[in-house]
Amino acid sequence: MRMLSLKEVAERLGVCVRMAEIMLAEGRLPRPVRFGRLRRWSEDQMDAFIVAEVARAGGGGRGTSGHGRGRPRSK
């Protein structure tokens, strides 16, 4: 089992490290395993989290204009 750092988690989510820290503080990310001061997430845990979030969001944003808000883009 491979363990991911916060930087790797952020890269998988497509956000900056600071946003991943905010998501963690808000309880929007799975809790990490602690090794002393290090925080790590299992690769399987993050893959399952991403799949669940995509499903919860309705399948990955089909039908949006690409900016993630579900509103048509004005021309």
Side-chain angles (χ1 to χ4, degrees):
M1 167 181 23
R2 183 164 182 269
M3 301 300 285
L4 304 173
S5 67
L6 184 62
K7 180 180 178 185
E8 292 169 313
V9 167
E11 288 171 358
R12 284 183 179 237
L13 296 174
V15 299
C16 66
V17 172
R18 181 68 184 129
M19 186 62 194
E21 289 172 342
I22 291 168
M23 292 171 70
L24 179 60
E26 292 175 346
R28 294 168 43 201
L29 285 180
R31 294 187 70 179
V33 174
R34 301 217 31 124
F35 298 104
R37 293 174 49 186
L38 298 176
R39 297 175 293 190
R40 294 291 185 259
W41 290 260
S42 77
E43 190 171 35
D44 295 339
Q45 176 187 33
M46 285 310 301
D47 288 345
F49 171 77
I50 292 168
V51 167
E53 286 299 301
V54 169
R56 186 185 66 78
R62 287 175 297 176
T64 66
S65 59
H67 54 80
R69 297 186 185 196
R71 293 181 290 183
R73 183 178 284 177
S74 56
K75 295 183 181 183

